[in-house]
Amino acid sequence: MEKKFKIALVQMNSEKAAIDRNLHLMREYIVVSRENGVDIICFPEMNITGYIDPTKYSQAVITRDHMAVSQVVELSGLYSICVIAGFVEHNPGGKPYITQFVAHNGKLLGFYRKKTIKDEEAEWFAPGDQLPVFSVSGMTFGLSVCADIDDPEIFAEYARKGASIVFESAAPGLYGEQETRNWASGFHWWRSKCMEQLGKYAADESIFIGVATQAGRTIDEDFPGGGYLFNQQGVCIAETEDWSEGVFYVQVEI
């Protein structure tokens, strides 16, 4: 028997190292989403800490038991919602992790550490090695983060583990000078990548894939935004119009 779920995919502007500011914005998105009957809200990669260079913003590299994580868990209980959010996680054994976590109805369900660490990120971050699945109200899902889009095996493994949907949280920084930023070209670059790769994975594995991307200008870097939902045939059935910040509502039947 199919069950309908309403999902919010947030294209959030997450300032670097501005944890309190980012938590305040999260709460606003959660409140509005719950008023719209949302079951699951998905935020972009590193939305709590911002996409930081951990050597430059070491104060924003936080532990799993940091108050920011606890506050998000509390919000999930206060508003009876499932929240997917991200931060830069302290690693006592080496480079920090890029981490997403899931909170539902006031409980912390678990964490996912970004597995695909390459190019310039390899200088700053360590890869994770686990692909956990989560179950909320009858929906089983997995998490992927930004460059994970380049590893089809991640999506195949989630499908083998019974996931009906994978949430791709991203923060692909745009190249070039901020002063002459071409937002349209950045947006269309990321959109094309999602259409070509995530559409194929969704069709190959018969899963839904939802995308939430950091959006807008930060202190020293810009992000393209873009929210998408691919169905089990690989068709993008809903998407944001442009690179603007905001929340994007979609409905799926699992």
Side-chain angles (χ1 to χ4, degrees), residues 51-128:
Y51 189 104
I52 59 169
D53 171 350
T55 66
K56 183 178 180 181
Y57 297 102
S58 58
Q59 76 278 14
V61 178
I62 63 177
T63 59
R64 291 185 177 193
D65 59 358
H66 190 272
M67 66 85 185
V69 176
S70 300
Q71 285 186 30
V72 175
V73 175
E74 290 174 5
L75 287 173
S76 77
L78 183 61
Y79 295 101
S80 300
I81 196 170
C82 177
V83 181
I84 301 168
F87 64 99
V88 178
E89 179 191 351
H90 172 69
N91 175 11
K95 299 173 185 177
Y97 299 107
I98 299 172
T99 301
Q100 294 290 111
F101 68 96
V102 180
H104 182 227
N105 286 347
K107 295 183 179 180
L108 181 61
L109 301 189
F111 298 85
Y112 166 69
R113 291 168 172 164
K114 184 176 180 177
K115 190 176 181 184
T116 309
I117 302 294
K118 59 183 184 178
D119 300 328
E120 64 273 11
E121 283 191 342
E123 297 181 19
W124 297 342
F125 302 108

Side-chain angles (χ1 to χ4, degrees), residues 9 16 24 39 53 63 78 81 86 89 100 106 120 143 155 157 166 171 186-187 212 244 246 249:
L9 302 170
K16 299 189 179 193
H24 179 76
D39 302 295
D53 171 350
T63 59
L78 183 61
I81 196 170
E89 179 191 351
Q100 294 290 111
E120 64 273 11
L143 305 180
F155 298 84
E157 180 63 18
V166 175
F187 171 76
S244 302
Y249 301 110

Side-chain angles (χ1 to χ4, degrees), residues 7-254:
I7 296 168
L9 302 170
V10 183
Q11 318 321 307
M12 180 174 165
N13 177 257
S14 303
E15 187 57 82
K16 299 189 179 193
I19 292 176
D20 289 343
R21 176 260 192 195
N22 294 336
L23 287 171
H24 179 76
L25 273 180
M26 284 186 70
R27 184 179 188 125
E28 291 181 351
Y29 281 124
I30 289 170
V31 169
V32 172
S33 295
R34 197 66 191 102
E35 290 173 349
N36 281 276
V38 165
D39 302 295
I40 299 178
I41 182 169
C42 180
F43 289 93
E45 175 184 20
M46 299 192 215
N47 73 291
I48 294 174
T49 55
Y51 189 104
I52 59 169
D53 171 350
T55 66
K56 183 178 180 181
Y57 297 102
S58 58
Q59 76 278 14
V61 178
I62 63 177
T63 59
R64 291 185 177 193
D65 59 358
H66 190 272
M67 66 85 185
V69 176
S70 300
Q71 285 186 30
V72 175
V73 175
E74 290 174 5
L75 287 173
S76 77
L78 183 61
Y79 295 101
S80 300
I81 196 170
C82 177
V83 181
I84 301 168
F87 64 99
V88 178
E89 179 191 351
H90 172 69
N91 175 11
K95 299 173 185 177
Y97 299 107
I98 299 172
T99 301
Q100 294 290 111
F101 68 96
V102 180
H104 182 227
N105 286 347
K107 295 183 179 180
L108 181 61
L109 301 189
F111 298 85
Y112 166 69
R113 291 168 172 164
K114 184 176 180 177
K115 190 176 181 184
T116 309
I117 302 294
K118 59 183 184 178
D119 300 328
E120 64 273 11
E121 283 191 342
E123 297 181 19
W124 297 342
F125 302 108
D129 60 3
Q130 302 294 317
L131 293 174
V133 293
F134 304 90
S135 186
V136 171
S137 303
M139 174 191 282
T140 300
F141 61 89
L143 305 180
S144 62
V145 177
C146 209
D148 285 336
I149 194 175
D150 293 326
D151 186 351
E153 181 56 29
I154 289 175
F155 298 84
E157 180 63 18
Y158 280 135
R160 288 193 287 269
K161 290 183 174 183
S164 301
I165 183 169
V166 175
F167 291 98
E168 163 86 359
S169 297
L174 299 178
Y175 292 103
E177 296 297 325
Q178 286 186 309
E179 293 77 10
T180 57
R181 169 70 59 229
N182 186 324
W183 287 102
S185 65
F187 171 76
H188 288 299
W189 160 75
W190 177 240
R191 179 183 183 276
S192 296
K193 191 171 180 67
C194 291
M195 294 293 167
E196 293 171 10
Q197 293 174 247
L198 296 180
K200 184 178 187 303
Y201 305 157
D204 288 348
E205 310 304 336
S206 297
I207 56 174
F208 290 93
I209 299 178
V211 183
T213 310
Q214 276 201 39
R217 177 151 294 175
T218 67
I219 190 171
D220 61 5
E221 191 173 18
D222 300 336
F223 297 91
Y228 310 100
L229 180 69
F230 297 90
N231 67 11
Q232 294 159 312
Q233 290 74 46
V235 177
C236 182
I237 57 175
E239 62 177 300
T240 52
E241 293 183 1
D242 58 27
W243 51 87
S244 302
E245 302 166 44
V247 60
F248 174 50
Y249 301 110
V250 294
Q251 186 165 283
V252 299
E253 292 187 6
I254 302 297

